[in-house]
Amino acid sequence: MRMDRRQLLQLLALSGAGAATARGFSAPVRKRPPNIVVILSDDVGYGDVGCYGANDVKTPHIDELAKDGLRFTNAHCDAATCTPSRYALLTGSYAWRRDGIQVLPGDAKLLIHPDQPTIASILKKAGYRTGLVGKWHIGLGSGTIDWNTAIEPGPCEVGFDEAFFFAATADRVPTVYIHDHNVVGLDPTDPIKVSYRAKIGNEPTGKENPDLLKMKLSEGHDGTIVDGVSRIGFMTGGKSARWTDENMAATFTDKAVQFIETNRDQPFFLYFTPSDIHVPRMPNEQFANQNTCGIRCDVLNELDWSVGRIIDKLKSLHLEEDTIVIFSSDNGPVVNDGYDDGADHHTDSHPPAGPWRGGKYTITEGGTRIPFIVRWKGNVKPGVSDALISQLDLTASLSELAGTRVPQSAAGDSQNVLPALLGRSKIGRQSLVEEAQCLALIEGDWKLIDRAQRPGTTPQPKGRYIPDTILGDAPRETPPQSAIELYNLKADPHEMHNVADQHPEIVTRMKRKLADIRSRQPH
């Protein structure tokens, strides 16, 4: 049964006292809304962590979140690639509504207009201190970026009080950190220049100087070499500001922990977006070569360590019952994504998408069915939920949790599923749309893939390699693609048997609904 807003707020206000009383002592009524920590990992698949079935890699800290919280089995990101997925999570709007949202280069302009509400800006207006730590990849500036001066607009213009991040991905230039508006550690006598069109300067590249690489290439990624790894794109200058890949996890995690420590006495929203386990996979030496399932599992250990440090900081500050923690991933897994690191030799023992077919870049469930865990000690009863939810819903749901509302003109695709997130209801949303080269609609057990429905222009990035085969435990063949595909995910979770011809009435109804959703103007 769904609760109305008054009932829900009463429940939240009394939850701390109720949990304490159940343990035999009284506690004051909650005087402020809960802190919110969203941990968005990169390229982590449904089957990549222990609590979702991984056996060959240990992820004790993520598993602890699941043990103490609610683990969702039917949670989805918006898209099977990172930029549209992250845009949708922050704005509560399907990325495919905007033409041209694709995997961005490192010098792309900001996709979110400063006037467009985001989770961060809504929570900031509700009195939260808001912070971003980690990967951004939604663009910066309003045109050509000068990396040697203040870079804006960026995260601080769309709702974040503090931001420590890099512009795109670890395999793209520029390979530098940015604090709020400025490159960290930049020597003004060594200015940065970046190009995604042609080589600039005289620095070695992966294409011209493969002998200098400490990680071999498989496809693409043959631009400027930084820290022994060649990247997508070209850059010169900024040598004092360039990161060391093996220290990146510690750098970001230190900043995230510092944000929690600094803001412990006020409501805070931390959007922690570690680079792990995106390529190039360069784990710190304490995690390297530790797993029989290879380097992807090594960086999974590193990610789990980062999550553990967040949990430990909340524990040490006695904030566990005052903080809701959400762990998820921006899209499904990818194995060989431009670097020959041997990860593709281990998918038999460690299927990263778990039982689903495909992964990053694919419209099959492995592309958008992702791990999603909600933990709020004393307020969310531990368990497992099969409620259908989307990361889109965080905007409306977390706004409700904070005691505020989404502006009427914003986040039109986000639904308030807070009762499901808190385990008070088994029902989430009724349907959702997935994006990867085309659009798909999920409604109940049914999934319709309409390959004629294109989400603007979303070409696959150079350096991408993942066959549309099984990365889980199903047969390794791929069924032929059709213009219209219909699958019953309960009976056929691997999407192997297209039953569109057997159920024309369901196809007609779902095509009509998909067209209706696409035609809406939510803002």
Side-chain angles (χ1 to χ4, degrees):
M1 181 179 69
R2 291 187 180 275
M3 294 175 282
D4 63 27
R5 179 179 174 82
R6 179 183 58 81
Q7 291 172 316
L8 184 59
L9 291 178
Q10 287 177 342
L11 172 66
L12 296 178
L14 295 171
S15 58
T21 301
R23 291 189 298 272
F25 62 94
S26 61
V29 173
R30 186 178 306 283
K31 295 181 180 179
R32 72 181 202 190
N35 308 312
I36 300 169
V37 176
V38 173
I39 304 173
L40 187 69
S41 58
D42 203 327
D43 291 354
V44 174
Y46 187 96
D48 267 329
V49 293
C51 56
Y52 280 90
N55 294 315
D56 282 11
V57 62
K58 304 301 181 184
T59 53
H61 301 297
I62 298 172
D63 296 348
E64 179 185 344
L65 284 180
K67 179 181 178 183
D68 295 338
L70 194 59
R71 179 173 64 86
F72 287 82
T73 61
N74 199 9
H76 298 254
C77 54
D78 171 60
T81 50
C82 48
T83 296
S85 173
R86 289 164 188 261
Y87 171 90
L89 184 153
L90 283 175
T91 66
S93 300
Y94 283 123
W96 48 260
R97 292 194 184 281
R98 287 188 51 183
D99 188 42
I101 293 187
Q102 57 189 31
V103 179
L104 293 181
D107 60 353
K109 69 179 182 179
L110 182 64
L111 290 175
I112 303 173
H113 191 278
D115 292 335
Q116 182 178 1
T118 65
I119 292 177
S121 66
I122 293 168
L123 293 178
K124 182 176 180 178
K125 288 183 178 179
Y128 279 71
R129 184 72 177 176
T130 57
L132 158 71
V133 177
K135 169 181 171 177
W136 180 236
H137 210 187
I138 311 179
L140 294 168
S142 54
T144 302
I145 300 173
D146 183 350
W147 301 97
N148 308 291
T149 60
I151 304 164
E152 55 184 284
C156 294
E157 282 65 52
V158 298
F160 289 100
D161 291 304
E162 306 172 37
F164 185 93
F165 63 101
F166 61 64
T169 56
D171 59 343
R172 286 172 171 81
V173 298
T175 55
V176 296
Y177 299 120
I178 301 168
H179 181 209
D180 293 344
H181 298 105
N182 299 100
V183 172
V184 177
L186 179 64
D187 180 352
T189 66
D190 183 28
I192 295 173
K193 294 182 179 179
V194 170
S195 174
Y196 276 79
R197 290 168 290 279
K199 181 182 178 180
I200 54 176
N202 298 313
E203 299 199 36
T205 68
K207 182 177 182 179
E208 298 169 344
N209 310 96
D211 56 305
L212 299 179
L213 297 175
K214 60 184 180 184
M215 178 177 287
K216 295 180 180 180
L217 307 178
S218 62
E219 183 181 4
H221 294 75
D222 57 1
T224 300
I225 297 175
V226 178
D227 191 29
V229 179
S230 58
R231 319 284 167 156
I232 299 174
F234 305 94
M235 71 175 289
T236 66
K239 289 184 173 58
S240 64
R242 298 183 184 186
W243 67 55
T244 299
D245 291 84
E246 292 87 347
N247 296 336
M248 183 178 291
T251 298
F252 280 148
T253 307
D254 285 346
K255 294 295 182 182
V257 167
Q258 180 182 341
F259 177 84
I260 294 172
E261 176 77 41
T262 302
N263 297 287
R264 59 189 293 182
D265 295 325
Q266 60 184 311
F268 62 79
F269 167 56
L270 172 62
Y271 180 51
F272 179 45
T273 58
S275 179
D276 285 333
I277 59 172
H278 196 283
V279 296
R281 302 177 184 115
M282 303 293 292
N284 187 272
E285 61 181 4
Q286 72 182 100
F287 304 105
N289 303 311
Q290 297 297 309
N291 290 276
T292 58
C293 49
I295 196 168
R296 277 189 87 256
C297 292
D298 293 339
V299 289
L300 279 164
N301 288 157
E302 187 170 69
L303 169 66
D304 187 70
W305 170 83
S306 295
V307 172
R309 286 199 56 201
I310 299 294
I311 297 172
D312 288 345
K313 175 54 64 174
L314 294 173
K315 286 181 180 178
S316 70
L317 297 177
H318 307 290
L319 292 176
E320 286 187 288
E321 293 187 2
D322 295 311
T323 306
I324 185 169
V325 180
I326 298 172
F327 172 85
S328 194
S329 178
D330 63 345
N331 49 245
V334 63
V335 181
N336 184 334
D337 204 18
Y339 296 99
D340 186 12
D341 61 10
D344 49 354
H345 300 158
H346 300 280
T347 57
D348 286 330
S349 64
H350 178 79
W356 313 108
R357 181 158 64 88
K360 185 177 182 179
Y361 309 115
T362 72
I363 196 63
T364 44
E365 285 297 276
T368 67
R369 181 87 64 122
I370 35 82
F372 193 100
I373 301 167
V374 178
R375 190 194 77 161
W376 186 8
K377 278 279 187 95
N379 297 281
V380 172
K381 183 179 179 180
V384 179
S385 174
D386 63 357
L388 178 65
I389 61 171
S390 169
Q391 290 176 354
L392 282 163
D393 301 327
L394 291 180
T395 303
S397 302
L398 295 181
S399 297
E400 180 80 16
L401 183 67
T404 189
R405 288 188 181 275
V406 175
Q408 188 173 4
S409 61
D413 296 309
S414 185
Q415 297 182 17
N416 180 10
V417 295
L418 186 59
L421 294 181
L422 299 181
R424 316 300 187 198
S425 173
K426 296 181 179 180
I427 300 172
R429 54 165 54 226
Q430 297 301 308
S431 64
L432 59 79
V433 179
E434 301 175 312
E435 168 191 342
Q437 310 302 310
C438 60
L439 299 182
L441 175 69
I442 290 180
E443 187 176 46
D445 295 331
W446 294 105
K447 177 175 179 177
L448 176 85
I449 299 175
D450 188 343
R451 297 188 182 274
Q453 297 288 327
R454 298 283 175 175
T457 54
T458 53
Q460 295 174 357
K462 184 178 181 182
R464 162 255 188 241
Y465 170 73
I466 181 168
D468 187 20
T469 54
I470 305 301
L471 290 180
D473 57 3
R476 295 268 172 177
E477 64 271 9
T478 302
Q481 292 183 356
S482 302
I484 294 291
E485 298 170 31
L486 180 69
Y487 300 100
N488 186 304
L489 294 176
K490 184 175 182 179
D492 179 24
H494 308 301
E495 299 167 82
M496 298 296 292
H497 307 290
N498 180 7
V499 294
D501 290 343
Q502 292 96 300
H503 300 280
E505 73 289 351
I506 296 178
V507 169
T508 299
R509 174 175 56 81
M510 293 185 72
K511 283 184 67 176
R512 186 181 298 120
K513 181 163 187 174
L514 179 58
D516 177 63
I517 293 172
R518 186 162 195 177
S519 67
R520 295 175 194 167
Q521 300 297 322
H523 306 309

